[in-house]
């Protein structure tokens, strides 16, 4: 496994891309571009899953005693915060897309 700092940045990068997709999806839905919105949500989910898998691998290594979680603690905390934020944006993007679909009927 790469060093903890690199892994944290991989998580941040993946879920940051996911969050950007989700925000774009909400904007597309607001403008009545439902298909584009749905595609951005799909793309965001792919990015989110990538970050989530990296995080789960990291947790598994820690549970197996192969990783000192004290190293880069603040950076890892930021990565986890970004992960949770992206997850919330994904949920909201799906809800807004459905809501705007009703508005644009």
């Amino acid at each position: 496994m790469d060093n903890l700092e690199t892994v944290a940045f991989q998580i941040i990068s993946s879920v940051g891309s996911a969050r950007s997709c989700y925000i774009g999806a909400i904007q597309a839905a607001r403008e009545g571009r439902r298909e584009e919105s749905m595609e951005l949500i799909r793309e965001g989910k792919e990015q989110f899953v990538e970050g989530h898998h990296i995080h789960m691998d990291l947790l598994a290594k820690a549970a197996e005693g192969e990783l000192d979680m004290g190293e880069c603690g603040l950076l890892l905390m930021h990565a986890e915060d970004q992960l949770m934020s992206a997850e919330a944006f994904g949920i909201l993007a799906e809800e807004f897309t459905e809501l705007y679909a009703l508005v644009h009927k």
Side-chain angles (χ1 to χ4, degrees):
M1 172 177 269
D2 296 324
N3 71 31
L4 192 54
E5 184 176 284
T6 301
V7 173
F9 279 117
Q10 289 170 339
I11 295 168
I12 292 166
S13 176
S14 293
V15 300
S17 293
R19 190 173 54 236
S20 292
C21 287
Y22 295 145
I23 291 169
I26 293 169
Q27 292 167 340
R30 183 182 62 227
E31 295 169 4
R33 301 187 325 263
R34 182 173 168 75
E35 286 183 34
E36 181 182 345
S37 178
M38 297 304 290
E39 176 60 24
L40 285 165
I41 289 172
R42 186 198 59 74
E43 203 176 304
K45 284 181 179 182
E46 286 179 8
Q47 291 291 320
F48 178 80
V49 166
E50 184 178 317
H52 180 64
H53 283 279
I54 295 167
H55 185 248
M56 292 303 293
D57 290 345
L58 188 64
L59 292 176
K61 296 272 187 219
E64 294 166 1
E66 296 179 28
L67 196 60
D68 176 14
M69 295 303 286
E71 177 188 344
C72 292
L74 186 58
L75 184 59
L76 184 57
M77 193 179 344
H78 176 64
E80 290 173 330
D81 181 54
Q82 296 302 303
L83 183 77
M84 292 185 308
S85 170
E87 182 177 27
F89 269 93
I91 293 165
L92 291 172
E94 289 178 341
E95 292 297 320
F96 275 106
T97 296
E98 294 303 316
L99 179 62
Y100 281 126
L102 295 172
V103 169
H104 291 289
K105 277 189 175 181

